[in-house]
Amino acid sequence: LQAGHDLARWGLVAFSVVVAVLLAGWARTQPRALAAVGLGLVIGGAIGNAIDRARYGAVVDFIDVQRLGFFPWIFNVADSGITIGVILLLLDSLRRDRPADGVGSPT
């Protein structure tokens, strides 16, 4: 059972790092700041969660706002970065203006 847990742990660490590297390559090609910042936050969150998983075997959630009545979840800074990054990417995708060179325009 422990071997399967270790395989899953390190598999998730490797997956997070690979995704972060691929997103970094995509971020370098972004002509728009909003998309680049969003990708940066997602990358940072993925790396942060990978570090937690490598060090502790699980992601450590420590921000608990349940008593404030806002969210029923407990989360961490990395999760917040990923969430805000995805929101920025969604907002960027809704913008009508596109770069003049045609990057990102449908063919």
Side-chain angles (χ1 to χ4, degrees):
L1 184 64
Q2 182 64 28
H5 177 70
D6 285 344
L7 180 63
R9 170 186 180 179
W10 293 107
L12 287 170
V13 169
F15 177 75
S16 295
V17 171
V18 167
V19 167
V21 168
L22 292 173
L23 289 176
W26 184 23
R28 290 178 52 95
T29 67
Q30 288 302 310
R32 293 157 38 137
L34 191 60
V37 170
L39 287 167
L41 287 168
V42 173
I43 292 165
I47 295 297
N49 280 339
I51 290 169
D52 269 5
R53 206 168 285 286
R55 288 185 71 192
Y56 306 115
V59 174
V60 179
D61 292 332
F62 57 89
I63 300 172
D64 184 357
V65 292
Q66 291 177 338
R67 293 183 188 162
L68 299 175
F70 295 124
F71 304 103
W73 310 284
I74 301 172
F75 56 97
N76 61 36
V77 175
D79 296 339
S80 300
I82 292 169
T83 301
I84 293 168
V86 168
I87 290 169
L88 293 178
L89 288 169
L90 289 171
L91 288 173
D92 183 70
S93 73
L94 295 175
R95 293 179 58 186
R96 294 195 184 275
D97 59 319
R98 295 285 176 215
D101 64 359
V103 175
S105 62
T107 55

